[in-house]
Amino acid sequence: MAGSNRVSDPKLLVALASVQIKTDQKRTIKTLYRALSLYTDSDDIDVSIFYSLASMRMDMDNYRFAYVWYGVAEAFDEGINDTQRVQLGQRYALPARILDNIVDEIVSNLNSATFNADSLKLGKL
């Protein structure tokens, strides 16, 4: 069902992703993106999605993507600060200004319930 995009409950997709992550990180990322696209109220978003995306990208050595998702997590989770993201950016000499703009665009899309990974071109980051 998940592959056919018939699941319309983001909570179910997050649960599916927690199973998928053990065997297929790329599919898990697609599932989490789909979950994010289904939220109609940004206050309801499960912030663990952002941490999962950042963690998987760290595992894949995609530090730009990890930086972006840590930034998005900061916007939705008042309990964290920017230390980890800033250190990541410094350690790998990431283009922070460009990545911060992407963070802002993702946050804006999530707040307006218009998140679409394809239209944001997240596959090219």
Side-chain angles (χ1 to χ4, degrees):
M1 271 184 73
S4 68
N5 290 330
R6 290 191 293 168
V7 176
S8 60
D9 183 347
K11 290 178 185 177
L12 289 175
L13 290 171
V14 171
L16 173 61
S18 69
V19 174
Q20 288 176 328
I21 198 168
K22 296 172 186 163
T23 58
D24 191 343
Q25 286 190 344
K26 288 184 180 186
R27 176 174 246 146
T28 303
I29 291 167
K30 287 180 182 182
T31 300
L32 292 175
Y33 284 169
R34 172 92 172 116
L36 288 173
S37 74
L38 294 173
Y39 283 102
T40 57
D41 184 344
S42 63
D43 291 335
D44 295 336
I45 295 174
D46 182 345
V47 296
S48 70
I49 294 171
F50 309 132
Y51 297 112
S52 294
L53 288 166
S55 177
M56 283 186 289
R57 292 306 189 164
M58 287 293 292
D59 291 345
M60 298 171 157
D61 296 331
N62 188 330
Y63 305 115
R64 291 175 184 221
F65 236 114
Y67 179 99
V68 165
W69 287 110
Y70 282 130
V72 174
E74 290 166 20
F76 286 92
D77 187 348
E78 298 170 7
I80 65 168
N81 59 40
D82 66 355
T83 304
Q84 185 172 11
R85 181 178 52 84
V86 169
Q87 288 176 347
L88 182 66
Q90 291 171 347
R91 181 175 183 187
Y92 295 101
L94 301 178
R97 186 175 298 167
I98 293 168
L99 297 176
D100 288 340
N101 287 338
I102 295 168
V103 169
D104 292 343
E105 192 172 356
I106 291 170
V107 169
S108 175
N109 278 241
L110 290 169
N111 283 330
S112 64
T114 59
F115 178 85
N116 181 306
D118 293 333
S119 68
L120 288 167
K121 297 182 172 100
L122 294 181
K124 296 185 184 237
L125 186 62

